[in-house]
């Protein structure tokens, strides 16, 4: 391997590593990780996240350089005039990141939010789908 | 002398115990709730009323059962999470479960004035305090 290409590969690797590091948030409030299921079908990856308290318009899904980032913000106004007397869970925004493989067609990602559950469908690129070769 | 020694040791042991417990607890986890009970609830006080909020993402309203009797509130139901057989599972953190929880409220509630709303995966139950149960102010002459 040429020194130049080696250098390039290295910087690309560093670039990816940098993305793994969490950005500092400027939005007030605590952020939590939503519980997530990831399943794979023949032609897509399906990501399901629990985000109770998040409305449709407050979800942000973005893909940047193979990093899928999901952010959901809750509305804390119903809690303003209340006094907690017994608590079992923390109230806060949600954020989580995943590195997706390059086999994902980032243009065709679909997202929907129903009853606090975010469904993401990440279709695989056609060439990444397994091809069955018939033996004659 | 010996007494003070033993209290120091006790203090240290208590400290160690407290640290062990904090390590075992999920307070420092990144999730909103621990891995214990389901569904997790928060109980708030709002003037004379109580507001119970339960984290129940992705549930069918028909699968939820909410009952109240005097100061006992029961929340039961089922949460189903199923994936087809042709899917391979990479990560599974969300749970499907049957649940049945009862809560003893600090006062009797007006059962016909209870309001329950399910929105964005949160169940909010407003529990007004029963008129008969409210403390009476007695004027002193």
């Amino acid at each position: 391997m040429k020194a130049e290409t080696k250098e390039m590969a290295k910087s690309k690797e560093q670039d990816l590593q940098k993305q793994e590091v969490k950005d500092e948030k400027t939005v007030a409030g605590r952020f939590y990780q939503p519980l997530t299921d990831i399943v794979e079908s023949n032609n897509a990856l399906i990501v399901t996240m629990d985000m109770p308290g998040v409305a449709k318009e407050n979800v942000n899904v973005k893909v940047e350089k193979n990093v899928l980032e999901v952010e959901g913000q809750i509305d804390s106004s119903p809690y303003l005039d209340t006094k907690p007397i017994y608590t079992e869970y923390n109230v806060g925004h949600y954020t989580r990141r995943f590195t997706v493989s390059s086999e994902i067609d980032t243009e065709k990602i679909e997202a929907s939010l129903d009853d606090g559950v975010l469904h993401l469908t990440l279709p695989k690129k056609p060439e990444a789908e397994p091809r069955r070769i018939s033996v004659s | 002398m010996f007494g003070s020694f033993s209290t120091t040791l006790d203090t240290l042991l208590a400290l160690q115990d407290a640290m062990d417990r904090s390590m075992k607890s999920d307070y420092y986890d990144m999730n909103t709730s621990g891995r214990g009970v389901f569904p997790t609830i928060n109980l708030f006080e709002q003037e004379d009323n109580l507001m119970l909020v339960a984290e129940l993402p992705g549930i069918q309203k028909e699968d939820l059962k909410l009952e109240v009797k005097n100061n006992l509130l029961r929340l039961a139901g089922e949460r189903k999470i199923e994936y087809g057989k042709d899917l391979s599972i990479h990560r599974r953190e969300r749970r499907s479960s049957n649940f049945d929880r009862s809560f003893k409220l600090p006062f009797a509630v007006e059962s016909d004035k209870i309001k329950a709303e399910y929105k964005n995966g949160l169940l909010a139950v407003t529990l007004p305090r029963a008129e008969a149960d409210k403390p009476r102010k007695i004027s002193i002459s």
Side-chain angles (χ1 to χ4, degrees), chain A residues 40-103:
Chain A
E40 187 176 346
S41 72
N42 284 334
N43 45 30
L45 267 174
I46 298 149
V47 179
T48 318
M49 290 182 176
D50 278 349
M51 293 184 159
V54 177
K56 225 171 246 175
E57 52 276 16
N58 296 328
V59 181
N60 215 331
V61 182
K62 73 178 182 201
V63 182
E64 206 177 76
K65 286 188 186 164
N66 289 345
V67 177
L68 170 78
E69 187 181 347
V70 179
E71 198 183 299
Q73 297 207 4
I74 56 141
D75 173 19
S76 50
S77 60
Y79 306 107
L80 284 181
D81 295 330
T82 59
K83 194 173 95 189
I85 48 174
Y86 171 70
T87 57
E88 289 177 350
Y89 70 89
N90 295 307
V91 179
H93 308 301
Y94 298 92
T95 185
R96 197 152 181 181
R97 299 175 148 210
F98 288 101
T99 306
V100 294
S101 77
S102 51
E103 293 163 11

Side-chain angles (χ1 to χ4, degrees), chain A:
Chain A
M1 204 192 271
K2 267 192 222 162
E4 229 172 85
T5 43
K6 228 180 201 172
E7 196 68 12
M8 262 172 69
K10 209 175 154 192
S11 75
K12 204 176 173 187
E13 205 174 280
Q14 278 173 345
D15 216 30
L16 274 173
Q17 274 174 358
K18 252 185 217 159
Q19 285 163 25
E20 304 267 349
V21 179
K22 276 200 172 148
D23 289 337
E24 292 280 323
K25 301 279 179 195
T26 49
V27 183
R30 282 184 79 168
F31 278 82
Y32 295 96
Q33 281 192 350
L35 292 177
T36 307
D37 285 354
I38 302 176
V39 296
E40 187 176 346
S41 72
N42 284 334
N43 45 30
L45 267 174
I46 298 149
V47 179
T48 318
M49 290 182 176
D50 278 349
M51 293 184 159
V54 177
K56 225 171 246 175
E57 52 276 16
N58 296 328
V59 181
N60 215 331
V61 182
K62 73 178 182 201
V63 182
E64 206 177 76
K65 286 188 186 164
N66 289 345
V67 177
L68 170 78
E69 187 181 347
V70 179
E71 198 183 299
Q73 297 207 4
I74 56 141
D75 173 19
S76 50
S77 60
Y79 306 107
L80 284 181
D81 295 330
T82 59
K83 194 173 95 189
I85 48 174
Y86 171 70
T87 57
E88 289 177 350
Y89 70 89
N90 295 307
V91 179
H93 308 301
Y94 298 92
T95 185
R96 197 152 181 181
R97 299 175 148 210
F98 288 101
T99 306
V100 294
S101 77
S102 51
E103 293 163 11
I104 298 297
D105 193 343
T106 50
E107 299 292 312
K108 287 185 185 151
I109 292 178
E110 283 171 39
S112 68
L113 183 76
D114 308 292
D115 291 334
V117 182
L118 179 73
H119 300 274
L120 291 173
T121 310
L122 317 169
K124 294 180 198 170
K125 281 179 186 160
E127 59 262 40
E129 278 176 32
R131 215 169 291 145
R132 197 173 284 257
I133 294 144
S134 60
V135 181
S136 59

Side-chain angles (χ1 to χ4, degrees), chain A residues 22 30-42 44-46 48-56 78-79 81-94 96 98 113-117 119, chain B residues 26-34 37 39-47 50-51 53-60 79 81 83 86-95 101 103 106 118-122:
Chain A
K22 276 200 172 148
R30 282 184 79 168
F31 278 82
Y32 295 96
Q33 281 192 350
L35 292 177
T36 307
D37 285 354
I38 302 176
V39 296
E40 187 176 346
S41 72
N42 284 334
L45 267 174
I46 298 149
T48 318
M49 290 182 176
D50 278 349
M51 293 184 159
V54 177
K56 225 171 246 175
Y79 306 107
D81 295 330
T82 59
K83 194 173 95 189
I85 48 174
Y86 171 70
T87 57
E88 289 177 350
Y89 70 89
N90 295 307
V91 179
H93 308 301
Y94 298 92
R96 197 152 181 181
F98 288 101
L113 183 76
D114 308 292
D115 291 334
V117 182
H119 300 274
Chain B
D26 26 42
Y27 184 78
Y28 299 106
D29 272 14
M30 293 298 289
N31 303 117
T32 54
S33 60
V37 287
T40 48
I41 63 129
N42 278 348
L43 198 60
F44 300 97
E45 203 176 61
Q46 224 174 9
E47 289 162 30
L50 279 180
M51 183 169 76
V53 187
E55 275 192 314
L56 282 164
I59 207 155
Q60 300 299 313
R79 187 191 188 209
I81 296 168
Y83 292 105
D86 51 332
L87 299 170
S88 52
I89 292 168
H90 292 268
R91 182 186 285 268
R92 192 149 197 195
E93 297 171 357
R94 301 164 67 241
R95 293 177 292 180
R101 298 192 69 187
F103 309 96
Y118 183 64
K119 198 179 161 194
N120 294 331
L122 288 179

